[in-house]
């Protein structure tokens, strides 16, 4: 776990892991589940899908101001540190989004290491992922793509860490609702010409519900990542603290269990949550 937070939130990794594992069991019992490559260069919680008004994600009602979220929150940002400009938001996203070294010693950057500047991933009306110029309510969005090369009879894991900084808490909260709804609208999603995600299911857990005592809101998606005839597990974890939404995707590979893939995702989520708190939290 990143140690920038000065020892704060040291219990996050196991709390996040327990929450994610619990939701994975729920989703697995309902149907399908599994993995990603960067809701592959594309899917990222900053996306504005253009779908009908989303159902509530179950999170507490949020203030429209950038710094105040709600009293029902594990985190209170210092209003003076909350980004108000695109430049400030880009700096925050760059500080929070995980590079390969943060995933583990053997990870490396993918051939495309980062998303196109000042764009956001959008799931369009035809359930296809594409990157578009920043949408209303989004100050910055950054995705970093890493991979763990195959070795010892195991395949290659691909992962994504995405950070989206919104103008207000309400904008970020609306995005969580949209994220929760997207698998209902698009059970199969096209990532690239020969790559798609299918069998998607999602579940959301607001702060104070279940084991979520570390984020304002959390959504977990599970499905299968299909590349040609190959099929791998796919997981997407999305969390929110204040105006910032964080997404971690993990595309599985031969030789890896769901538990191992969930561990990568939960550890990455906890690290980015700690980074947000360090960057924006009130100083004691």
């Amino acid at each position: 776990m990143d140690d920038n937070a000065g020892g704060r939130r040291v219990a996050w990794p196991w709390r996040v892991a327990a929450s994610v594992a619990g939701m994975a069991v729920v989703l697995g019992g309902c149907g399908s589940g599994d993995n990603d490559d960067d809701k592959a260069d594309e899917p990222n919680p900053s996306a504005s899908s253009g779908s009908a008004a989303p159902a509530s994600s179950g999170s507490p009602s949020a203030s429209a101001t950038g710094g105040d979220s709600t009293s029902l929150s594990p985190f209170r940002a210092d209003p003076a540190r909350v980004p108000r400009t695109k430049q400030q938001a880009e700096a925050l996203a760059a500080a929070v989004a995980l590079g390969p070294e943060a995933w583990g010693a053997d990870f490396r950057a993918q051939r495309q290491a980062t998303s196109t500047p000042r764009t956001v991933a959008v799931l369009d009306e035809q359930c296809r992922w594409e990157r578009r110029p920043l949408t209303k309510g989004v100050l910055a969005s950054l995705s970093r793509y890493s991979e763990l090369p195959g070795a010892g009879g195991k395949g290659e894991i691909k992962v994504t860490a995405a950070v989206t900084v919104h103008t207000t808490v309400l904008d970020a909260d609306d995005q969580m609702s949209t994220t929760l709804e997207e698998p209902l609208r698009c059970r199969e999603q096209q990532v690239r010409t020969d790559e798609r995600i299918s069998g998607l299911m999602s579940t959301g857990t607001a702060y104070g519900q279940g084991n979520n005592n570390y984020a304002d809101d959390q959504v977990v998606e599970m499905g299968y990542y299909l590349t040609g005839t190959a099929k791998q597990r796919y997981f997407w974890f999305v969390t929110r603290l204040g105006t910032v939404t964080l997404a971690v995707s993990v595309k599985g590979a031969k030789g890896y269990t769901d538990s191992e893939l969930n561990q990568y995702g939960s550890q990455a989520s906890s690290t980015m949550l700690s980074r947000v708190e360090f960057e924006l939290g009130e100083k004691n």
Side-chain angles (χ1 to χ4, degrees), residues 1 3 6 17 28 34 39 42 75 93 97 109 112 119 160 164 173 180 183 208-209 214 271:
M1 168 176 191
D3 60 359
D34 268 57
K39 220 172 187 179
E42 279 25 311
F75 170 73
Q112 179 180 348
T119 65
T160 301
T164 301
D173 193 52
L180 183 64
Q209 297 179 6
Y214 48 81
T271 299

Side-chain angles (χ1 to χ4, degrees), residues 3-226:
D3 60 359
N4 284 345
R8 292 177 293 175
R9 299 291 183 190
V10 294
W12 272 7
W14 70 262
R15 287 175 178 170
V16 176
S19 179
V20 168
M23 285 189 282
V25 169
V26 171
L27 286 176
C30 293
S32 66
D34 268 57
N35 203 281
D36 159 35
D37 158 72
D38 24 283
K39 220 172 187 179
D41 161 59
E42 279 25 311
N44 154 339
S46 62
S48 173
S49 67
S51 61
S56 172
S57 65
S59 61
S61 59
S63 164
T65 62
D68 288 325
S69 53
T70 171
S71 59
L72 298 176
S73 173
F75 170 73
R76 181 169 294 278
D78 179 345
R81 304 176 74 186
V82 174
R84 304 293 180 183
T85 68
K86 289 184 177 180
Q87 290 77 12
Q88 292 170 342
E90 288 169 354
L92 175 63
V96 173
L98 302 188
E101 69 289 343
W103 287 90
D106 295 324
F107 278 84
R108 66 189 182 192
Q110 292 187 37
R111 181 168 297 180
Q112 179 180 348
T114 62
S115 55
T116 303
R118 298 202 171 181
T119 65
V120 63
V122 176
L123 184 64
D124 68 17
E125 292 76 7
Q126 286 74 46
C127 299
R128 298 173 304 194
W129 284 101
E130 60 181 7
R131 297 202 72 89
R132 295 179 182 174
L134 297 178
T135 55
K136 181 179 180 181
V138 175
L139 290 173
S141 183
L142 171 66
S143 295
R144 286 178 172 155
Y145 314 122
S146 304
E147 60 191 16
L148 178 62
K154 292 187 175 182
E156 181 180 72
I157 291 178
K158 292 190 176 183
V159 296
T160 301
V163 178
T164 301
V165 184
H166 301 264
T167 306
T168 68
V169 170
L170 184 58
D171 289 324
D173 193 52
D174 284 346
Q175 184 52 54
M176 295 298 291
S177 298
T178 299
T179 299
L180 183 64
E181 180 195 58
E182 283 175 341
L184 300 176
R185 181 172 71 90
C186 298
R187 288 297 303 279
E188 183 166 304
Q189 301 171 6
Q190 194 75 35
V191 180
R192 296 188 180 90
T193 302
D194 61 342
E195 299 180 23
R196 65 189 191 281
I197 304 167
S198 70
L200 284 171
M201 301 186 72
S202 65
T203 184
T205 307
Y207 173 67
Q209 297 179 6
N211 292 315
N212 181 5
N213 55 7
Y214 48 81
D216 291 322
D217 204 359
Q218 175 171 278
V219 174
V220 175
E221 283 188 18
M222 298 173 65
Y224 290 92
Y225 200 96
L226 308 175

Side-chain angles (χ1 to χ4, degrees), residues 201-284:
M201 301 186 72
S202 65
T203 184
T205 307
Y207 173 67
Q209 297 179 6
N211 292 315
N212 181 5
N213 55 7
Y214 48 81
D216 291 322
D217 204 359
Q218 175 171 278
V219 174
V220 175
E221 283 188 18
M222 298 173 65
Y224 290 92
Y225 200 96
L226 308 175
T227 305
T229 59
K231 182 178 182 180
Q232 296 294 342
R233 292 287 279 174
Y234 164 80
F235 295 91
W236 196 31
F237 314 105
V238 187
T239 52
R240 178 179 72 81
L241 274 184
T243 60
V244 184
T245 53
L246 310 168
V248 171
S249 68
V250 183
K251 177 185 175 184
K254 176 185 176 182
Y256 287 95
T257 66
D258 284 3
S259 178
E260 290 174 310
L261 300 175
N262 273 311
Q263 182 61 34
Y264 280 119
S266 60
Q267 180 67 43
S269 294
S270 68
T271 299
M272 290 205 293
L273 285 166
S274 286
R275 290 183 176 187
V276 172
E277 185 181 59
F278 175 75
E279 296 291 333
L280 300 184
E282 293 181 333
K283 294 183 178 180
N284 296 325

